[in-house]
Structures are given as C-alpha cells and as structure tokens.
Amino acid sequence: METPAGLSTRRERALVPVLVFLSAVVAVISSLGAPMIPTIATVDHVSLAEAQWSLTITMLVGAVATPVLGRLGDGPDRRTVTLVAAAVVVLGSVLAALPLGFWWLIAGRAFQGVGVGLTPLAIATARDALPAAASRSAVALLSITTVAGVGLGYPITGLIAQSFGIHAGFWFGALISGLALVLAALVLPGAGNRERRPLDVLGTVLLSLALVGLLLVLSEGESWGWTGGRLWTVAALSLLLLTGWIRHELRTAHPLIDLRSLKNPVVLTADVAGLVAGVGMYLLISLVIRYVQTPTSTGYGLGASVVVAGLVLLPFSAASLLSSKLVPLLTRRTSSALVLPIGCAVSLGSVLFFLFARDHLWGQLVVMGIAGLGVGCTFAVMPGLIVAAVPANEVGSAVSFNQLLRTIGYSTGSALCGAVLQAHTEPGRLLPSDSGYRDAALIGCAVWVVVGLTTIVLPRLSAAVAAREGARVDEELMVEESIADGVAGGSEVPVLRAGADR
C-alpha cells in the first residue's frame, strides 16, 4: 500500500485507531449527562427540569459547533481546529468534574458539546490522509463509532455514578478526553496547501440562533407544554431565522454550508435519511430506557435500575460495530445505495420486536441488538456516499451538515417519545399507560418505513429530474448550435422559422 505524502508508515497505521478513539470519546462524553440527571438534581439541589440542562446544553452547543468546525476544517488549519476543539472538551470535562456547583457543571457540559463537531473533522482527515480503499472503510467505521458510543456511554457512566458519584463520571470523561487529545497531537497530519476561505459569520449567527430555538422547543416541549404560547413563538421565530439562513446561504459566495450540494441526489438522500433515521433511533432508545426502568407495580415494565437500563444498550453498540464488517459485504453483493433501505428494514424489525416482545429483559436485549445492526448499516454508508459525491474542499462541511441533521433527528426522536408517553399519562399520575409504549412503537414503525421509502424513491425522483434537466439543456445547446450554423452560412434556420410559424 502506498504511503500517503506527509505520513510515516507508523503514523498511518496509528491514524485510524486514534480517529476512532477520538470519535468514541466524544460520543461517550456527549451522553454523560443522561443517566446522571436524577443524581445531579439530588446532589446540587435543583429540579429535574434544571438538571436536564446538563444534557440539553451539550446538545445545543454541539449543534452550533458542528457546522462551524466543519467549515474551518475544510481549510489549511484542520489539525489546529481539531486539537483546539479537543482541548476545549478536556477543559469542559474538568469543569464538570470539579465540585464547584451546578452552574459550573453546566458550563463544563457546554464546553464538552464542542466535541460533537469532531467526528466530521475525523472523517475529512481520513478521507484526505489515507488511500482510497482504506479511507472508505475508515469513514464507515467512524460513522458507526458515533452511534456505538451512545450505547457505551450510558452503562459506563451509570456504573461510575452509582459506585463513585457524579463527579467521578466526569473525571472519567476528563481522563479519556485528555488521552484522546495527546494521541491526536501525535498522529494527526497537516491539511496541506488547502485553500483558506472566509468564515460565513452572518450565516453562522443565523443558523446558530435558529438551531438553538428549534432544539429548545424539542428539548423543553414537555416542561413548557406542547400547546403553550411560548413554545410556538420560539418555534415560529426559529423557522423565520432558518428561512433567512437558507436564502443567505444560496446567495453568498462562501456559505457556511453549501446547500447547492443538495441538488446531488446522493447527498440529498443521505441527508434526509440521516435526519429521519435519527428520529427513529432515539425514539426507540428512549422507549427502551424508560420501559426497562418502569416499576412492575404499574402492570408492565421491568423495574430495573439505571445501571441495568444502560447495560441493555450494550448489544446496540456491539451490533452497530459488527455492522462495519457486514456493510462491505453487502456493498459488494448489492450496492451502497441498497444498503440504506436494507438497514431501514432491519431497524423496522427491531421496533416490531419491541412492539410484541417487550415484557422480558431478554427481549429488550434482542431489540437493541437488532436496532444496532440496522442503524449501524444505515449510518455506516451515509458519510461514504457524501464523501464520494462532493468536492474534496467541501467534505468537512458536507459531513458536518449530515451530522447536524442527525443531531436534530436525535432530539426530535427523544421529544416525540416524551410527547407520546405524556399524552398517555392520566392526570395526577406520574407514569403513562402501556398503550403509550404501543402507540410510540407504531409511530417508530412508520418512521422507519418513511426512511426506507425515502432511500428508494428519492434517488430515482432526483435522477429523473436531473435527466429531464439535462435533456432540456442539450436541446437548448442544439438550438444554439443550429442558430450559429445558420448565421455562419447566411441561411435561415429551420427551427426558428418553424417556431415563428407556430
């Protein structure tokens, strides 16, 4: 195998493991707050709604940081941007770990949110630094790692928090993020002589405000009330800002995210599928975690601890990693485009299994194993499709946009779970009826059907539109050539005369 320029053989061998470790670390850290929300509320003497911000703030900052880091990473400073972002994650982990009080913990979790944008940078690095064959498998593995890390983060942090307290969980985050920073500093290559382009500041501000508003609506919908005036006001303002951002991005010379790439049917399919698949993934995860912990006195549920609920997600992580071995085989037997609907069909099977066999712990383990396999196959091919479809200087931005859409999908899935279960909770009761889980699972089935159909129908529709557009352009060129020939020969052009007669 030819050694890429600027990398020694040893550094090249170490590059992929380090990038995978870095992506796994930020995925684990981003989910650190979820299992510890009740403990944070107790230790810091705040309400559960306030403690929820230990997760919400990470999501908000991550959504804003992802496209910015992706655009900065497309220039010559990718190595510097990656290391600075990793250092911010370490700082945030230390702040969250120190017993300084609740709001210092929230500040630390905000800094940790910057790490969400590191995976697209890792994917862009693998694409540029490795030979074509090696980069394709590395890109697929990196995409799956972000999914597997969620399943690993819940049980790890749950065990640490239960055994040693919440601050020990964040010290664990500081330790692994510090190690990832050191390893990245040792092996990350420079980005070479890449073109430096100005950051779209106005686009960054518009998108940031719109995303913060939309994610606030999704994450705070239960506490604000889904029919409340405040929620709908924030939603309307966010949509107006998003509309303004889209118009600005299509007009500016150096957009934060090149939305024109969505004209490519491959990119459009991957982005739509990433958004909707994110909804389906987090809807099921949220259902399983809540169902497993529901007391058996309700007539359903398993009455398990938060640690057991976290351990139920381990098959999800293991199966998603296994899918990295299956995807190349499926691709060779079929095609990358067909792997997407296959993964959606497997994910649909996991929700159906939850619908009919959720009353036993072994059933939940099987559900999560099937889900990990389906989601892993779906998400493994998305970045590879995008990387192959966009110019090299747009890889970081395009993959970041896909990651951003996934994040919005995750938040939507979690909020959808909460809204459906809340609708099935009788006044004066804390827990929903079992029918809430049934209806939420049916919605999950519908989501995966939509994703599967999208991955089949959208590329064909886009290709048909592109073919018609190409035929129209060819016809116009033929007319222009005919006109030019007629002018050069001094004769009338039959096409024009026929048009005039009509």
Side-chain angles (χ1 to χ4, degrees):
M1 182 176 67
E2 182 182 353
T3 303
L7 285 178
S8 68
T9 303
R10 181 177 297 177
R11 288 180 66 188
E12 181 186 348
R13 288 199 300 265
L15 181 61
V16 173
V18 169
L19 291 177
V20 169
F21 181 63
L22 180 64
S23 298
V25 165
V26 297
V28 169
I29 286 177
S30 66
S31 62
L32 271 175
M36 296 191 285
I37 288 173
T39 308
I40 290 172
T42 301
V43 171
D44 289 322
H45 307 291
V46 296
S47 67
L48 281 174
E50 289 176 306
Q52 181 70 31
W53 274 95
S54 64
L55 186 62
T56 302
I57 193 66
T58 307
M59 176 182 62
L60 292 177
V61 174
V64 173
T66 296
V68 175
L69 292 181
R71 174 54 68 198
L72 293 175
D74 279 332
D77 300 321
R78 179 185 297 152
R79 172 185 163 85
T80 302
V81 171
T82 303
L83 294 179
V84 169
V88 171
V89 174
V90 176
L91 174 61
S93 300
V94 172
L95 282 178
L98 292 172
L100 301 175
F102 177 70
W103 293 110
W104 281 102
L105 184 148
I106 295 299
R109 291 291 290 157
F111 286 151
Q112 287 179 329
V114 174
V116 176
L118 282 171
T119 298
L121 294 181
I123 289 173
T125 299
R127 193 266 189 197
D128 287 350
L130 298 173
S135 69
R136 282 193 294 270
S137 60
V139 165
L141 182 58
L142 286 167
S143 182
I144 294 172
T145 301
T146 62
V147 176
V150 174
L152 290 173
Y154 277 67
I156 290 174
T157 54
L159 283 169
I160 293 174
Q162 181 171 291
S163 303
F164 305 105
I166 60 170
H167 296 294
F170 292 117
W171 279 121
F172 169 74
L175 177 64
I176 60 174
S177 60
L179 178 59
L181 173 61
V182 171
L183 293 175
L186 291 174
V187 305
L188 283 183
N193 298 319
R194 303 179 67 85
E195 178 186 0
R196 186 186 301 276
R197 297 197 296 179
L199 180 66
D200 177 16
V201 177
L202 177 58
T204 300
V205 172
L206 288 174
L207 181 61
S208 299
L209 292 175
L211 288 176
V212 167
L214 289 175
L215 292 175
L216 273 177
V217 166
L218 292 172
S219 60
E220 298 298 315
E222 282 190 74
S223 59
W224 288 0
W226 292 106
T227 59
R230 176 169 55 167
L231 183 141
W232 286 103
T233 300
V234 173
L237 289 175
S238 301
L239 290 175
L240 285 175
L241 287 169
L242 191 61
T243 302
W245 172 74
I246 292 172
R247 293 189 61 184
H248 170 75
E249 293 297 283
L250 293 175
R251 294 178 178 182
T252 187
H254 300 290
L256 178 67
I257 297 171
D258 188 5
L259 296 179
R260 299 175 186 88
S261 66
L262 295 177
K263 293 181 179 179
N264 187 309
V266 174
V267 177
L268 179 62
T269 301
D271 284 345
V272 173
L275 173 64
V276 188
V279 176
M281 171 183 156
Y282 254 71
L283 174 61
L284 180 60
I285 288 178
S286 301
L287 284 174
V288 168
I289 289 176
R290 292 182 65 159
Y291 190 91
V292 169
Q293 295 181 78
T294 299
T296 55
S297 58
T298 59
Y300 67 94
L302 303 179
S305 67
V306 65
V307 175
V308 173
L311 291 174
V312 168
L313 298 185
L314 284 180
F316 179 83
S317 296
S320 61
L321 290 175
L322 175 63
S323 67
S324 66
K325 304 297 183 183
L326 295 178
V327 166
L329 177 63
L330 288 173
T331 302
R332 287 194 297 269
R333 295 289 181 90
T334 57
S335 68
S336 296
L338 283 178
V339 174
L340 282 174
I342 290 173
C344 294
V346 175
S347 297
L348 174 61
S350 69
V351 185
L352 288 172
F353 203 99
F354 175 82
L355 190 61
F356 296 110
R358 61 180 182 272
D359 295 331
H360 303 281
L361 186 61
W362 66 265
Q364 302 293 349
L365 294 171
V366 173
V367 166
M368 284 289 93
I370 299 173
L373 200 60
V375 171
C377 288
T378 303
F379 284 159
V381 294
M382 285 183 191
L385 293 172
I386 294 172
V387 166
V390 301
N393 62 348
E394 290 290 337
V395 169
S397 177
V399 175
S400 294
F401 186 53
N402 185 262
Q403 181 72 32
L404 171 62
L405 292 175
R406 288 196 212 180
T407 302
I408 295 174
Y410 297 160
S411 302
T412 305
S414 178
L416 183 59
C417 172
V420 173
L421 295 183
Q422 184 62 38
H424 286 77
T425 303
E426 297 178 3
R429 297 180 64 91
L430 295 176
L431 297 172
S433 63
D434 189 39
S435 61
Y437 288 90
R438 179 201 63 204
D439 291 352
L442 290 172
I443 292 173
C445 291
V447 167
W448 284 112
V449 170
V450 169
V451 184
L453 291 177
T454 297
T455 61
I456 296 172
V457 174
L458 189 56
R460 296 183 180 182
L461 289 177
S462 300
V465 171
R468 287 197 298 269
E469 182 67 17
R472 184 184 64 79
V473 172
D474 290 342
E475 184 179 350
E476 290 177 354
L477 289 174
M478 291 176 64
V479 171
E480 291 175 2
E481 290 174 359
S482 179
I483 294 172
D485 291 342
V487 171
S491 60
E492 293 186 73
V493 181
V495 173
L496 292 179
R497 186 170 59 249
D501 291 342
R502 284 196 297 270

PDB file of all heavy atoms in Angstrom, residues 479-494 496:
ATOM      1  N   VAL A 479     -30.232  23.935 -30.294  1.00  0.00           N
ATOM      2  CA  VAL A 479     -30.858  25.101 -30.922  1.00  0.00           C
ATOM      3  C   VAL A 479     -29.821  26.201 -31.146  1.00  0.00           C
ATOM      4  O   VAL A 479     -29.750  26.815 -32.213  1.00  0.00           O
ATOM      5  CB  VAL A 479     -32.026  25.624 -30.068  1.00  0.00           C
ATOM      6  CG1 VAL A 479     -32.532  26.955 -30.590  1.00  0.00           C
ATOM      7  CG2 VAL A 479     -33.144  24.605 -30.026  1.00  0.00           C
ATOM      8  N   GLU A 480     -28.986  26.443 -30.100  1.00  0.00           N
ATOM      9  CA  GLU A 480     -27.967  27.475 -30.223  1.00  0.00           C
ATOM     10  C   GLU A 480     -26.977  27.140 -31.333  1.00  0.00           C
ATOM     11  O   GLU A 480     -26.564  28.013 -32.115  1.00  0.00           O
ATOM     12  CB  GLU A 480     -27.233  27.645 -28.891  1.00  0.00           C
ATOM     13  CG  GLU A 480     -28.106  28.267 -27.800  1.00  0.00           C
ATOM     14  CD  GLU A 480     -27.392  28.312 -26.465  1.00  0.00           C
ATOM     15  OE1 GLU A 480     -26.223  27.895 -26.418  1.00  0.00           O
ATOM     16  OE2 GLU A 480     -28.000  28.770 -25.482  1.00  0.00           O
ATOM     17  N   GLU A 481     -26.583  25.848 -31.416  1.00  0.00           N
ATOM     18  CA  GLU A 481     -25.660  25.438 -32.475  1.00  0.00           C
ATOM     19  C   GLU A 481     -26.304  25.595 -33.850  1.00  0.00           C
ATOM     20  O   GLU A 481     -25.663  26.000 -34.816  1.00  0.00           O
ATOM     21  CB  GLU A 481     -25.232  23.986 -32.255  1.00  0.00           C
ATOM     22  CG  GLU A 481     -24.328  23.799 -31.041  1.00  0.00           C
ATOM     23  CD  GLU A 481     -24.043  22.337 -30.770  1.00  0.00           C
ATOM     24  OE1 GLU A 481     -24.564  21.489 -31.525  1.00  0.00           O
ATOM     25  OE2 GLU A 481     -23.301  22.047 -29.809  1.00  0.00           O
ATOM     26  N   SER A 482     -27.602  25.283 -33.911  1.00  0.00           N
ATOM     27  CA  SER A 482     -28.309  25.433 -35.179  1.00  0.00           C
ATOM     28  C   SER A 482     -28.372  26.886 -35.598  1.00  0.00           C
ATOM     29  O   SER A 482     -28.197  27.228 -36.766  1.00  0.00           O
ATOM     30  CB  SER A 482     -29.723  24.851 -35.050  1.00  0.00           C
ATOM     31  OG  SER A 482     -30.437  24.989 -36.250  1.00  0.00           O
ATOM     32  N   ILE A 483     -28.626  27.757 -34.610  1.00  0.00           N
ATOM     33  CA  ILE A 483     -28.648  29.191 -34.904  1.00  0.00           C
ATOM     34  C   ILE A 483     -27.291  29.656 -35.392  1.00  0.00           C
ATOM     35  O   ILE A 483     -27.173  30.393 -36.380  1.00  0.00           O
ATOM     36  CB  ILE A 483     -29.072  29.986 -33.664  1.00  0.00           C
ATOM     37  CG1 ILE A 483     -30.530  29.665 -33.308  1.00  0.00           C
ATOM     38  CG2 ILE A 483     -28.898  31.481 -33.869  1.00  0.00           C
ATOM     39  CD1 ILE A 483     -30.974  30.256 -31.996  1.00  0.00           C
ATOM     40  N   ALA A 484     -26.237  29.207 -34.664  1.00  0.00           N
ATOM     41  CA  ALA A 484     -24.887  29.616 -35.051  1.00  0.00           C
ATOM     42  C   ALA A 484     -24.542  29.140 -36.458  1.00  0.00           C
ATOM     43  O   ALA A 484     -23.962  29.872 -37.259  1.00  0.00           O
ATOM     44  CB  ALA A 484     -23.875  29.061 -34.042  1.00  0.00           C
ATOM     45  N   ASP A 485     -24.918  27.896 -36.785  1.00  0.00           N
ATOM     46  CA  ASP A 485     -24.634  27.376 -38.127  1.00  0.00           C
ATOM     47  C   ASP A 485     -25.386  28.160 -39.191  1.00  0.00           C
ATOM     48  O   ASP A 485     -24.860  28.451 -40.270  1.00  0.00           O
ATOM     49  CB  ASP A 485     -25.028  25.896 -38.205  1.00  0.00           C
ATOM     50  CG  ASP A 485     -24.113  25.023 -37.362  1.00  0.00           C
ATOM     51  OD1 ASP A 485     -23.009  25.507 -37.012  1.00  0.00           O
ATOM     52  OD2 ASP A 485     -24.506  23.879 -37.039  1.00  0.00           O
ATOM     53  N   GLY A 486     -26.652  28.523 -38.858  1.00  0.00           N
ATOM     54  CA  GLY A 486     -27.442  29.268 -39.826  1.00  0.00           C
ATOM     55  C   GLY A 486     -26.873  30.654 -40.077  1.00  0.00           C
ATOM     56  O   GLY A 486     -26.815  31.127 -41.212  1.00  0.00           O
ATOM     57  N   VAL A 487     -26.437  31.323 -39.013  1.00  0.00           N
ATOM     58  CA  VAL A 487     -25.855  32.656 -39.162  1.00  0.00           C
ATOM     59  C   VAL A 487     -24.561  32.591 -39.963  1.00  0.00           C
ATOM     60  O   VAL A 487     -24.279  33.391 -40.835  1.00  0.00           O
ATOM     61  CB  VAL A 487     -25.611  33.301 -37.782  1.00  0.00           C
ATOM     62  CG1 VAL A 487     -24.823  34.582 -37.917  1.00  0.00           C
ATOM     63  CG2 VAL A 487     -26.942  33.559 -37.092  1.00  0.00           C
ATOM     64  N   ALA A 488     -23.737  31.562 -39.638  1.00  0.00           N
ATOM     65  CA  ALA A 488     -22.454  31.434 -40.339  1.00  0.00           C
ATOM     66  C   ALA A 488     -22.665  31.146 -41.815  1.00  0.00           C
ATOM     67  O   ALA A 488     -21.914  31.612 -42.682  1.00  0.00           O
ATOM     68  CB  ALA A 488     -21.624  30.316 -39.714  1.00  0.00           C
ATOM     69  N   GLY A 489     -23.723  30.376 -42.175  1.00  0.00           N
ATOM     70  CA  GLY A 489     -23.946  30.022 -43.571  1.00  0.00           C
ATOM     71  C   GLY A 489     -24.788  31.035 -44.310  1.00  0.00           C
ATOM     72  O   GLY A 489     -25.017  30.890 -45.514  1.00  0.00           O
ATOM     73  N   GLY A 490     -25.288  32.029 -43.595  1.00  0.00           N
ATOM     74  CA  GLY A 490     -26.088  33.064 -44.240  1.00  0.00           C
ATOM     75  C   GLY A 490     -27.474  32.604 -44.629  1.00  0.00           C
ATOM     76  O   GLY A 490     -28.122  33.185 -45.486  1.00  0.00           O
ATOM     77  N   SER A 491     -27.959  31.516 -44.052  1.00  0.00           N
ATOM     78  CA  SER A 491     -29.278  30.987 -44.402  1.00  0.00           C
ATOM     79  C   SER A 491     -30.192  31.047 -43.191  1.00  0.00           C
ATOM     80  O   SER A 491     -29.750  31.173 -42.064  1.00  0.00           O
ATOM     81  CB  SER A 491     -29.153  29.529 -44.881  1.00  0.00           C
ATOM     82  OG  SER A 491     -28.598  28.738 -43.845  1.00  0.00           O
ATOM     83  N   GLU A 492     -31.475  30.920 -43.461  1.00  0.00           N
ATOM     84  CA  GLU A 492     -32.425  30.908 -42.362  1.00  0.00           C
ATOM     85  C   GLU A 492     -32.326  29.594 -41.609  1.00  0.00           C
ATOM     86  O   GLU A 492     -31.959  28.564 -42.146  1.00  0.00           O
ATOM     87  CB  GLU A 492     -33.849  31.067 -42.888  1.00  0.00           C
ATOM     88  CG  GLU A 492     -34.116  32.429 -43.493  1.00  0.00           C
ATOM     89  CD  GLU A 492     -35.571  32.568 -43.847  1.00  0.00           C
ATOM     90  OE1 GLU A 492     -36.380  32.708 -42.904  1.00  0.00           O
ATOM     91  OE2 GLU A 492     -35.909  32.514 -45.038  1.00  0.00           O
ATOM     92  N   VAL A 493     -32.699  29.622 -40.352  1.00  0.00           N
ATOM     93  CA  VAL A 493     -32.650  28.445 -39.516  1.00  0.00           C
ATOM     94  C   VAL A 493     -34.032  27.818 -39.468  1.00  0.00           C
ATOM     95  O   VAL A 493     -34.996  28.457 -39.023  1.00  0.00           O
ATOM     96  CB  VAL A 493     -32.199  28.810 -38.082  1.00  0.00           C
ATOM     97  CG1 VAL A 493     -32.128  27.550 -37.227  1.00  0.00           C
ATOM     98  CG2 VAL A 493     -30.852  29.502 -38.134  1.00  0.00           C
ATOM     99  N   PRO A 494     -34.176  26.548 -39.915  1.00  0.00           N
ATOM    100  CA  PRO A 494     -35.498  25.927 -39.939  1.00  0.00           C
ATOM    101  C   PRO A 494     -36.194  25.914 -38.573  1.00  0.00           C
ATOM    102  O   PRO A 494     -37.392  26.098 -38.503  1.00  0.00           O
ATOM    103  CB  PRO A 494     -35.194  24.497 -40.428  1.00  0.00           C
ATOM    104  CG  PRO A 494     -33.901  24.615 -41.184  1.00  0.00           C
ATOM    105  CD  PRO A 494     -33.139  25.680 -40.499  1.00  0.00           C
ATOM    106  N   LEU A 496     -36.059  28.044 -36.167  1.00  0.00           N
ATOM    107  CA  LEU A 496     -36.627  29.351 -35.848  1.00  0.00           C
ATOM    108  C   LEU A 496     -37.845  29.636 -36.715  1.00  0.00           C
ATOM    109  O   LEU A 496     -38.830  30.197 -36.257  1.00  0.00           O
ATOM    110  CB  LEU A 496     -35.562  30.441 -36.049  1.00  0.00           C
ATOM    111  CG  LEU A 496     -34.404  30.437 -35.080  1.00  0.00           C
ATOM    112  CD1 LEU A 496     -33.433  31.554 -35.429  1.00  0.00           C
ATOM    113  CD2 LEU A 496     -34.890  30.592 -33.660  1.00  0.00           C
TER     114      LEU A 496
END
